[in-house]
Amino acid sequence: MNAQASNGNRDNGSDVDVVVVGAGFAGLYALHRLRKDGYSVRVFEGAPEVGGVWYWNRYPGARCDVESVDYSYSFDDELQQEWNWTEKYATQAEILSYIKHVADRFDLRKDITFSTRVTDAELDEQTLRWQVTTDSGESVSARFLILAVGPLSNANVPNIPGLASFAGTTLHTSQWPHTPVDFTGQRVGVIGTGSSGIQAIPEIAKQADQLYVFQRTPNYSVPAGNVPLSDEDRAAQKANYAERRRLSMLSGGGSPHMAHPKSALDVPPEEREAAYQKRWELGGVLFSKTFPDQMVTEGANATAREFWEKKVRAVIDDPEVAELLVPKDHAIGTKRICTDSNYFQTYNRDNVELVNLRATPIEKIDETGIVVEGGKHYDIDTLVLATGFDAMTGSVAKMNIVGRDGVTLNDKWAAGPQTYLGLGTDGFPNMFNIAGPGAPSVLANMVLHSELHVDWIADAAKYLDEQGAVAIEATPDAVENWGEELRTRADGTLMPTANSWYVGANIPGRPRVFMPFVGGFGVYGEIIADVAQAGYKGFALLPS
Ligand code: NA7
């Protein structure tokens, strides 16, 4: 037990070393690592169970778009050797059972308070401790406050006139019921064609009598190429796990796949085609990282888009429908590429109709369905909102976090998130945000990203104790410089050009700021390691 960590009365749980908000991948590892290091830790979780997004997002077809073997913890070799993933891309249910297994295996539940949300966290400037309050009225004092709330956890419910008057069933993909929903014999309307809609639509279409898809903006999607994993597949993956993890940590997105070494424009057409084909067969989101300049120049990006378009048009029977499904407003990959299983083919079914909201926007929702401009009424029994999230900052913003001089984090971030390395913010000592804005965040494999951040925080805590310091706080200069670094890097790519949730464009009134660190997961890992190596350069170490 660490000397400083063991100070104070930790027995009643109202005075601990660390409060972690959230029991998803990030929060659970934070609990495990910091508890192992001798700190007393309490985790508060809004759901009645562990899992975070994998607890909530149970819509039909929900899967991860990162391969299961990579989207899993690396911190314990026995764990990764003993767990058997059944499919290349795991379903929500399988990921949730994995997370529950981890919680049980490492005896994590005893330090988690479920069905309880943190509402407030206030800094005591004298002691530099955080007074954390929950919606059950509990108040806990903590030295460290770790926000592990996830960048995609605050549902975006669209402000459509009459939505509340709908008399049928309304479901949001990220707040899906826990008992299976049976669409048999129903007329279903889905609003939204992002990752969630694109995964759910083929599944709903198989059951429903009639499915109307209300599309505002088409998205790029690449087939998952999901397959069951055989014993041989698993054995091969596990035999090579260490190397797989090493490459992932060095990679652009946290998976062990490296981009082609040359520019998309510097290789002969056959070689380019072959590289895209290989990524297409790998499946999913990594298609956007086939060539290093694909997200940098329009010319390189166009080669990826052309490849994609040929593939997709070929599987859609009706050329007019295909025309509506091909994105025209953004470069491929500047919004997260979706990962699907027979999404585009679903529009070949007789019971599926694509409603183009660009031509006829939704006017209102009434008791029995959706009315679009021009007066056409779509009769609907169940309405599915696949309308996404108030991403990156939405769940942090729901808490009233008050730092130095009574300044709230929401005030501080009013013009967009301000962080140093995505980890800390000046005025908020000993508060850390995991895998949020300012870090690679949603551009990387969240599980490895969470481990990277938690390990960095744990090492920083140890360093503080070794130095006899109480707190660590980003300096204003470091925050400003990091903001500049993020902007410069993002502006050097095509990424900020799209109206994506990366820039907050999906939420009316949000400042337009490209929030993730775009320079790659491996590069980011080096940067934060160098900062630590240099005695936490850019942070002030505060004495008691
Ligand atoms: P997304 O990617 O934000 O997609 C939301 C979809 O909902 C998108 O097609 C939106 O159209 C649509 N939308 C939102 N509001 C409306 C209204 N008012 N009317 C019509 N259509 C609307 O969320 P997802 O849940 O699919 O995916 C989020 C991430 O989770 C994903 O990238 C993975 O990383 C996991 P728009 O594009 O705004 O025109």
Side-chain angles (χ1 to χ4, degrees):
M1 170 72 75
N2 173 296
Q4 206 149 0
S6 63
N7 280 342
N9 169 21
R10 314 293 188 221
D11 293 344
N12 60 10
S14 63
D15 187 358
V16 293
D17 297 314
V18 190
V19 160
V20 177
V21 191
F25 270 112
L28 291 179
Y29 181 56
L31 167 58
H32 174 67
R33 168 75 205 258
L34 288 157
R35 201 174 66 181
K36 201 162 96 185
D37 286 1
Y39 296 97
S40 56
V41 185
R42 284 197 63 185
V43 180
F44 292 99
E45 166 55 56
E49 180 53 279
V50 295
V53 291
W54 299 108
Y55 174 82
W56 294 107
N57 286 262
R58 330 179 152 229
Y59 58 84
R63 283 179 193 273
C64 187
D65 56 6
V66 178
E67 283 184 76
S68 352
V69 62
D70 301 315
Y71 192 80
S72 50
Y73 288 120
S74 70
F75 68 84
D76 186 291
D77 190 47
E78 273 177 29
L79 170 67
Q80 64 183 9
Q81 291 296 334
E82 79 193 9
W83 183 264
N84 290 319
W85 293 107
T86 65
E87 293 178 87
K88 183 174 176 186
Y89 292 97
T91 58
Q92 170 271 334
E94 189 168 19
I95 299 172
L96 184 59
S97 58
Y98 168 77
I99 301 174
K100 286 179 178 176
H101 167 75
V102 172
D104 294 334
R105 193 184 191 285
F106 297 97
D107 194 18
L108 300 178
R109 292 174 191 277
K110 68 179 182 205
D111 291 317
I112 307 172
T113 307
F114 290 104
S115 304
T116 305
R117 290 185 184 277
V118 168
T119 54
D120 299 79
E122 196 166 342
L123 178 73
D124 179 329
E125 288 194 55
Q126 297 306 311
T127 60
L128 296 181
R129 290 179 71 85
W130 288 94
Q131 197 64 39
V132 178
T133 312
T134 72
D135 61 359
S136 66
E138 195 174 352
S139 186
V140 179
S141 164
R143 179 177 170 206
F144 298 106
L145 173 63
I146 297 184
L147 308 177
V149 293
L152 293 162
S153 52
N154 189 19
N156 170 37
V157 177
N159 187 16
I160 300 174
L163 177 59
S165 70
F166 181 60
T169 306
T170 306
L171 304 169
H172 192 288
T173 45
S174 76
Q175 295 164 344
W176 204 259
H178 286 222
T179 46
V181 179
D182 185 1
F183 293 104
T184 310
Q186 291 202 10
R187 295 159 302 180
V188 181
V190 175
I191 299 179
T193 50
S195 293
S196 305
I198 281 176
Q199 287 187 333
I201 284 163
E203 296 303 314
I204 297 172
K206 284 183 205 160
Q207 270 188 0
D209 253 18
Q210 176 66 37
L211 172 62
Y212 300 108
V213 178
F214 295 87
Q215 171 188 272
R216 195 162 61 182
T217 318
N219 262 305
Y220 291 101
S221 183
V222 168
N226 185 43
V227 283
L229 294 174
S230 65
D231 287 343
E232 291 73 35
D233 295 331
R234 276 189 292 268
Q237 288 171 345
K238 287 180 183 181
N240 197 30
Y241 233 140
E243 179 61 4
R244 198 168 179 118
R245 298 302 196 179
R246 191 186 70 78
L247 290 174
S248 298
M249 295 310 286
L250 297 174
S251 71
S255 298
H257 305 284
M258 299 298 159
H260 192 288
K262 292 192 192 142
S263 152
L265 301 174
D266 285 349
V267 292
E270 320 75 68
E271 190 178 334
R272 188 164 59 227
E273 193 85 355
Y276 284 133
Q277 181 63 30
K278 201 166 157 215
R279 280 289 162 121
W280 188 266
E281 284 162 20
L282 174 68
V285 68
L286 289 170
F287 185 75
S288 59
K289 295 192 167 84
T290 312
F291 287 97
D293 55 341
Q294 202 177 320
M295 302 311 303
V296 180
T297 70
E298 279 176 22
N301 191 274
T303 64
R305 192 183 47 70
E306 281 156 23
F307 180 93
W308 180 91
E309 205 172 313
K310 215 164 17 156
K311 288 276 191 197
V312 167
R313 283 188 190 270
V315 300
I316 305 168
D317 293 346
D318 183 341
E320 281 178 28
V321 173
E323 194 56 34
L324 296 178
L325 288 168
V326 171
K328 317 261 183 333
D329 69 326
H330 64 281
I332 185 167
T334 52
K335 288 182 172 185
R336 190 180 177 91
I337 292 189
C338 306
T339 302
D340 72 277
S341 299
N342 289 323
Y343 172 66
F344 293 107
Q345 293 86 336
T346 299
Y347 292 95
N348 299 335
R349 297 176 67 109
D350 292 338
N351 68 332
V352 177
E353 183 179 333
L354 180 64
V355 182
N356 174 17
L357 298 182
R358 293 290 176 202
T360 54
I362 295 177
E363 208 171 78
K364 64 173 182 178
I365 294 175
D366 64 16
E367 271 188 28
T368 55
I370 295 182
V371 184
V372 297
E373 217 172 83
K376 183 162 183 190
H377 186 278
Y378 293 88
D379 295 332
I380 285 166
D381 303 303
T382 296
L383 175 61
V384 174
L385 301 174
T387 46
F389 302 90
D390 181 358
M392 307 294 294
T393 55
S395 290
V396 171
K398 273 171 44 179
M399 294 176 282
N400 179 42
I401 301 176
V402 186
R404 286 189 192 280
D405 305 320
V407 174
T408 67
L409 193 64
N410 286 335
D411 291 337
K412 174 97 186 153
W413 286 10
Q418 293 188 49
T419 74
Y420 178 39
L421 311 176
L423 281 157
T425 299
D426 56 309
F428 298 81
N430 278 359
M431 186 193 85
F432 302 100
N433 195 15
I434 301 195
S441 187
V442 288
L443 302 180
N445 172 348
M446 273 296 167
V447 185
L448 297 189
H449 192 323
S450 299
E451 289 183 328
L452 179 74
H453 264 178
V454 168
D455 287 338
W456 189 95
I457 294 164
D459 291 346
K462 185 162 173 256
Y463 184 77
L464 287 181
D465 292 339
E466 284 166 2
Q467 301 291 314
V470 149
I472 186 169
E473 179 178 359
T475 66
D477 278 356
V479 170
E480 201 181 315
N481 294 340
W482 186 246
E484 191 52 41
E485 173 87 26
L486 293 173
R487 267 190 299 281
T488 309
R489 283 184 184 264
D491 289 346
T493 74
L494 301 170
M495 295 298 280
T497 59
N499 291 324
S500 65
W501 51 258
Y502 298 143
V503 296
N506 64 327
I507 303 295
R510 280 277 296 272
R512 191 183 175 107
V513 176
F514 190 85
M515 292 178 274
F517 170 85
V518 84
F521 183 59
V523 171
Y524 174 82
E526 270 176 39
I527 293 174
I528 66 170
D530 288 348
V531 165
Q533 195 67 36
Y536 296 86
K537 195 167 157 225
F539 288 93
L541 302 189
L542 307 172
S544 47

